[in-house]
Amino acid sequence: DLKDMIIQKKEQKPDNIAFTYSKGRNQIVKKTYREFYEDVNALGTWMHKQDLQGKHIAVLGENSYEWLVCFFAIVCGGGVAVPIDKELPAEEVKTLLEKADVQAIIYSKSYREVAENAVEILSQTTEQKDNAKKLAAYFMADLERFLEKGKEQLASGERSFIDYQIDRKKMCCIMFTSGTSGSSKGVMLSHENIAEDINSSCQLFVLEGNTIAVLPFHHAFGLVVAVFMVFHYGYTIYINRSL
């Protein structure tokens, strides 16, 4: 499962660089495998304390380190991650939130208007009013604050996230098809499904160095092959925010 993968890399290559990305115009940030593991644990712990364990949580935003921390924190703590195409208009985002029975959404600054409009449209839909009241929205820009709170909770002995035992056959992600042959369909994936894809990718393609993640993370190929496979190999992933 994905939790096992990040634990393995934290133990095997703790000080190797897992992710490199730009922040602002001139700052380059590097995150080790140990740091990524600790960030996932901190955010996952905070999510559990927010009563988000087991919930369907949408992630909307450009490719980013924060996006990946959110995804892993959701799926490694018993939740279901729902990656949303950031280029969709608010009305279509609202439709996907309904289809996936989303109960919370995490969105980036660049797509704040789309996310908030989608939530507003959802709240105005008569048959979804009760559901909309339960839809919690979180700003990805607040991730550092969430991480700090999670670290404090871990330091105080909170272990619900760390001790959570994953059922690898249980659904952990709903990825939507592109909709080229009709309306977008939600594909239900388990940890076992994703692990099989990672292992098969490694068998088919021998990676011999660091790589740049260009394709959108809300696409299965862009996430599994350009991120998860490279992570499993133990190389550095350079995160590219835009094509």
Side-chain angles (χ1 to χ4, degrees):
D1 59 62
L2 292 173
K3 193 171 188 177
D4 186 42
M5 183 175 74
I6 65 173
I7 291 172
Q8 282 184 21
K9 289 300 164 287
K10 182 265 296 185
E11 294 175 347
Q12 295 169 357
K13 302 184 177 184
D15 298 321
N16 283 26
I17 303 301
F19 299 101
T20 297
Y21 57 96
S22 61
K23 189 174 182 180
R25 293 194 172 189
N26 303 311
Q27 185 181 0
I28 300 298
V29 180
K30 297 180 180 181
K31 292 285 186 176
T32 65
Y33 281 97
R34 181 195 288 113
E35 288 172 328
F36 180 70
Y37 170 80
E38 291 173 350
D39 284 348
V40 170
N41 278 348
L43 184 61
T45 299
W46 176 83
M47 284 182 169
H48 275 207
K49 294 293 283 185
Q50 293 294 117
D51 196 30
L52 293 173
Q53 182 178 355
K55 301 291 177 65
H56 290 205
I57 304 174
V59 185
L60 174 68
E62 64 277 12
N63 289 4
S64 69
Y65 176 77
E66 294 80 6
W67 194 104
L68 293 171
V69 172
C70 289
F71 182 94
F72 272 90
I74 295 166
V75 302
C76 291
V80 176
V82 184
I84 299 291
D85 184 349
K86 62 188 185 301
E87 303 300 332
L88 293 176
E91 183 64 45
E92 289 189 43
V93 171
K94 168 256 180 186
T95 299
L96 299 189
L97 296 180
E98 286 181 312
K99 279 187 176 182
D101 191 25
V102 166
Q103 293 145 299
I105 182 170
I106 305 173
Y107 56 90
S108 72
K109 181 179 179 180
S110 301
Y111 298 93
R112 182 172 190 166
E113 185 175 350
V114 172
E116 292 180 350
N117 284 348
V119 171
E120 178 64 23
I121 293 170
L122 188 61
S123 69
Q124 293 172 356
T125 305
T126 305
E127 65 238 22
Q128 290 293 331
K129 277 187 177 179
D130 291 338
N131 186 50
K133 291 176 183 177
K134 303 174 187 176
L135 185 63
Y138 300 96
F139 199 19
M140 212 176 283
D142 292 329
L143 187 66
E144 285 299 324
R145 182 164 58 85
F146 301 154
L147 290 176
E148 285 303 315
K149 288 185 177 180
K151 289 173 183 176
E152 291 173 4
Q153 290 157 356
L154 283 167
S156 68
E158 172 60 43
R159 293 188 57 88
S160 62
F161 178 83
I162 291 178
D163 293 340
Y164 180 80
Q165 296 295 310
I166 287 175
D167 177 354
R168 65 178 184 270
K169 293 185 179 294
K170 185 179 177 182
M171 179 176 67
C172 72
C173 177
I174 298 175
M175 283 197 145
F176 283 97
T177 61
S178 60
T180 51
S181 59
S183 61
S184 294
K185 299 166 185 66
V187 181
M188 299 179 289
L189 300 172
S190 67
H191 277 270
E192 190 172 65
N193 295 149
I194 297 173
E196 176 69 21
D197 281 345
I198 295 169
N199 289 325
S200 296
S201 298
C202 288
Q203 291 167 5
L204 290 169
F205 180 77
V206 179
L207 186 64
E208 297 180 344
N210 303 330
T211 190
I212 182 169
V214 177
L215 297 175
F217 291 167
H218 66 266
H219 284 179
F221 188 86
L223 188 59
V224 174
V225 178
V227 180
F228 295 169
M229 183 191 76
V230 183
F231 191 98
H232 189 42
Y233 266 111
Y235 288 116
T236 301
I237 299 152
Y238 291 84
I239 299 173
N240 180 49
R241 290 178 178 270
S242 169
L243 286 170

